[in-house]
Amino acid sequence: PERNSHSLPPTMPAMAGLALRRLRQPRLAPAVGALLAAAALAVVACTAFVVAGVGGGAALRGRRQRPPNPVARHAWGDDVKFLDATIESNVEAGEGLRLITVQVPQAVSDAFKTPGQYVQAKAQPDAKASYYSVASAPGKTGSMEFLIKQAENNAWFTGLSRGDATLLSEAMGKGYNMACDSWTAAEVSQVGLFATGTGIAPMRSAIESGVFRGKATRLYLGARTEAALGFADSFEAWRKDGIEVVPVLSNGAGSWSGRRGWIQDALKEDEERGEGFVLPTRHGALICGQKEMVAAVRAVLAEVGVPEDRTLLNF
């Protein structure tokens, strides 16, 4: 206990001295003497290293026992504030689709500036949030509309009735930034809209905001069946506002006389037949749907000369 932890054990100097005394005995050959001296010195050095290492390790362990400086880490959405909202109406908007109107606090609607933005919604504070694009146009206070597909993961929302409570975040996301540098530099004057399923929700928001007035605009809308076309009752009004609507069904019934297949194929067919309207130097696009469709539409537009930075996504 009284010995310093960095001192050598008393036996080690004695061993070294014994080896050195034996070196002086004439009967030992010089080579053997040198070997013994080296071994003795090595033992001494090794012991010193081990003892020092023990002391150093103790010091390190002492430092490790102090807690590190905490670093705040937040997952996406951890800091989102949710506000109370109330269901105003919930009506059918197509086969398997619900159009839900929600009375929202002013903070929620005030943050909605750009078509394509979305909100997070959940049933109760400890529930996992879902993400829904806003289907109504920006600038309207008091309520928002959402087009929701009926599915197990959305049942908590699509099953709500007038007067039921829910929780919504403020509108968030970049939306469709049609004032971006690429659109401004190209002076975009014609727009292609490409959506499938509930992807029509942000397109409706953009159309009814009036942002396409004065621009040649065509909507390619994909759905499985005619009954599953969202906002079909608005097509005629949109056409009167100058929006060309091209529904494309992947599983159209025999009575369906419109386009069949996939919207990217319909676009490609129109361009190859010379019936398209894409003017590459002035064309921009908004896209919402499955990633495979997004990639395919972008590929077709790239073939006719529209750069990817003019094909906008809302997420």
Side-chain angles (χ1 to χ4, degrees):
E2 69 277 7
R3 189 170 65 249
N4 186 288
S5 62
H6 294 279
S7 64
L8 294 176
T11 55
M12 300 315 301
M15 291 172 61
L18 176 62
L20 291 174
R21 286 196 301 273
R22 288 181 178 178
L23 284 174
R24 299 190 186 100
Q25 298 180 17
R27 66 179 179 273
L28 293 176
V32 175
L35 179 61
L36 287 172
L41 293 175
V43 169
V44 173
C46 181
T47 304
F49 175 81
V50 170
V51 172
V54 170
L60 286 175
R61 285 193 297 273
R63 286 196 296 272
R64 288 176 187 143
Q65 289 173 354
R66 290 192 292 271
N69 292 329
V71 177
R73 300 185 184 276
H74 300 288
W76 186 38
D78 278 357
D79 294 328
V80 174
K81 181 179 180 180
F82 287 85
L83 303 171
D84 293 326
T86 306
I87 302 301
E88 183 176 311
S89 65
N90 182 345
V91 298
E92 186 176 16
E95 186 178 66
L97 301 174
R98 306 297 300 184
L99 178 62
I100 302 176
T101 304
V102 184
Q103 293 177 350
V104 300
Q106 187 171 349
V108 175
S109 56
D110 283 353
F112 182 34
K113 306 290 187 183
T114 307
Q117 288 183 284
Y118 59 91
V119 301
Q120 294 188 44
K122 56 185 179 179
Q124 51 194 11
D126 59 349
K128 182 179 179 181
S130 300
Y131 296 76
Y132 301 113
S133 292
V134 185
S136 47
K140 183 180 178 182
T141 60
S143 66
M144 284 180 169
E145 295 178 323
F146 303 92
L147 183 69
I148 312 297
K149 181 180 180 180
Q150 290 180 297
E152 183 177 352
N153 60 327
N154 294 323
W156 71 269
F157 199 16
T158 57
L160 295 177
S161 302
R162 179 179 176 85
D164 287 343
T166 188
L167 294 170
L168 294 185
S169 71
E170 296 180 1
M172 51 184 32
K174 62 182 180 178
Y176 291 116
N177 182 14
M178 289 169 273
C180 62
D181 291 344
S182 58
W183 275 45
T184 301
E187 298 180 346
V188 168
S189 59
Q190 59 170 215
V191 182
L193 309 178
F194 302 90
T196 56
T198 55
I200 187 59
M203 301 303 170
R204 180 201 192 224
S205 176
I207 291 170
E208 300 197 348
S209 74
V211 71
F212 301 128
R213 292 194 182 104
K215 293 180 171 63
T217 305
R218 177 182 290 180
L219 166 65
Y220 287 89
L221 175 59
R224 186 170 178 272
T225 64
E226 185 176 6
L229 287 166
F231 300 121
D233 57 351
S234 297
F235 291 173
E236 192 57 36
W238 294 351
R239 290 185 176 110
K240 289 180 180 178
D241 283 341
I243 309 296
E244 184 180 358
V245 181
V246 183
V248 183
L249 304 185
S250 61
N251 190 25
S255 59
W256 174 252
S257 59
R259 307 290 290 274
R260 297 173 182 269
W262 311 104
I263 60 175
Q264 60 265 30
D265 296 333
L267 169 65
K268 187 170 185 177
E269 290 167 2
D270 288 346
E271 294 305 315
E272 290 177 346
R273 285 200 303 251
E275 298 177 5
F277 76 122
V278 175
L279 179 63
T281 58
R282 294 286 186 269
H283 192 82
L286 310 186
I287 312 175
C288 187
Q290 301 94 333
K291 62 181 181 179
E292 295 82 6
M293 180 275 283
V294 171
V297 167
R298 280 180 157 175
V300 175
L301 290 174
E303 288 176 7
V304 298
V306 180
E308 185 172 304
D309 62 359
R310 274 193 263 134
T311 62
L312 307 182
L313 308 179
N314 64 322
F315 280 88

